[in-house]
Amino acid sequence: MPTAETLLFAGGAFNLAFAIFHLLFWRLFAWKEELARLSFINRAIVQVLNLCLTFSFALFAYISFAHPQALLATALGHTLLGGVAVFWLLRAAYQIVFFKLRHWVSWAFLGAFIGGSALYGLAWAAAP
């Protein structure tokens, strides 16, 4: 089994990848055209939520890369590890509820989200 530090490094890379992915949403999903169909407030909400998620992923990545020992050796770190694991587990559940797993891409994202949860859950379990 990989070390807890290795799991955290992989978790950091995982979160960084999702931060970058979310920054590409405007282009990937043609948001300029698609979001124009929404009301001003709903258009703003979608974009603000996406930017806040992007920041959260970047923060998860930074903490994983820069402070692995604090995550593994402190009560606050253990709480953060558990919180990130639950975050990704909830995201996996939302994938099932909202995307219905009708396409292989939905299945791939489900696997990725479960994997992200496992990275942090296993690091949490391996922490002293």
Side-chain angles (χ1 to χ4, degrees), residues 16-28:
L16 183 59
F18 270 97
I20 293 166
F21 177 56
H22 273 257
L23 288 174
L24 297 173
F25 276 19
W26 281 266
R27 177 172 289 187
L28 290 172

Side-chain angles (χ1 to χ4, degrees), residues 1-5 7-8 68 71-86 116-128:
M1 179 165 156
T3 66
E5 290 84 0
L7 292 166
L8 288 178
L71 287 169
L72 297 170
T74 67
L76 178 59
H78 291 190
T79 300
L80 284 169
L81 287 175
V84 175
V86 170
S117 180
L119 288 170
Y120 285 90
L122 289 170
W124 176 82

Side-chain angles (χ1 to χ4, degrees), residues 1 9 16 20 34 40 46 52 58 63 81 92 95-96 104 110-111 119 122 126-128:
M1 179 165 156
F9 184 84
L16 183 59
I20 293 166
E34 292 293 326
F40 172 81
V46 167
C52 287
I63 292 169
L81 287 175
Q95 188 70 18
I96 296 167
W104 71 266
L110 175 64
L119 288 170
L122 289 170

